[in-house]
Amino acid sequence: MAELSGRALIAARCAKFFKDGDFVNLGIGLPLMCVNYLPEGVDLWLEAEIGIVGCGASPSWDDADPDLIDAGGQPASVIPGGSVHDHANSFAFIRGGHIDAAVLGTLQVDQEGSIANWTIPGKLAPGMGGAMDLCSGVKKIIVATDHCEKSGKSKILKECTLPLTGKNCVTDIVTERCYFEVTPEGLVLREIAPGYTVEDIKACTEADFIVPDEVGIMQA
């Protein structure tokens, strides 16, 4: 695979968390890109809250089936053996603890593993969707996000300032600059994207984090 950067690198790195046969939920936007970067030999059952189990790679609009659209309004596909079901069953999978992992975008995430991803003060928000259910019903919550806001302010904070979607639930944070593991001791810098240094990450991250003796390189 060619060297990736930006959001493509985030999606490809998140996809490396998955094991063959996992039952996974992907949030709207960047998380949905993960299906395009699954490692060889890894087949997933992707659950979409709109009512699909067995989502496939995202087709182009030219090849799209107009009856198969994901929660973000983009074209979707269903793999052989996949199924379509109602909204109630979709949330039963989540609330029943049947989902192995979820990938969520965010507005903020903090060093305690809390996430705020559904509302901006002063702006009309459509609601939190299924994110709150995912944060309470899924054991592995992976945050896929740009490291900073467009203003340059860090999105990885000491403490979230926006209303929380989930508290102390995030297990991993992947940005275009690095990968943090969330541990009981705090954030641990596990990998850095090519072109960045530990000092670069410290300069753009508000949260405190631990730098181990060995830090890997983020790769697709």
Side-chain angles (χ1 to χ4, degrees), residues 3-34:
E3 184 173 308
L4 302 176
S5 61
R7 291 192 159 200
L9 177 60
I10 298 172
R13 180 58 187 85
C14 288
K16 293 177 69 175
F17 287 111
F18 305 143
K19 304 184 299 296
D20 190 43
D22 274 354
F23 196 11
V24 175
N25 181 289
L26 300 177
I28 294 172
L30 171 57
L32 285 169
M33 294 172 58
C34 293

Side-chain angles (χ1 to χ4, degrees), residues 88-148:
N89 278 334
S90 176
F91 279 88
F93 294 137
I94 297 169
R95 296 172 182 175
H98 302 292
I99 309 295
D100 296 303
V103 183
L104 300 175
T106 198
L107 298 168
Q108 297 177 344
V109 60
D110 68 27
Q111 64 194 42
E112 302 296 329
S114 295
I115 177 175
N117 76 343
W118 71 277
T119 187
I120 301 174
K123 293 190 177 183
L124 181 65
M128 63 189 65
M132 184 173 285
D133 290 270
L134 290 166
C135 288
S136 62
V138 179
K139 294 186 268 315
K140 189 170 187 65
I141 299 291
I142 303 159
V143 166
T145 180
D146 296 321
H147 202 99
C148 297

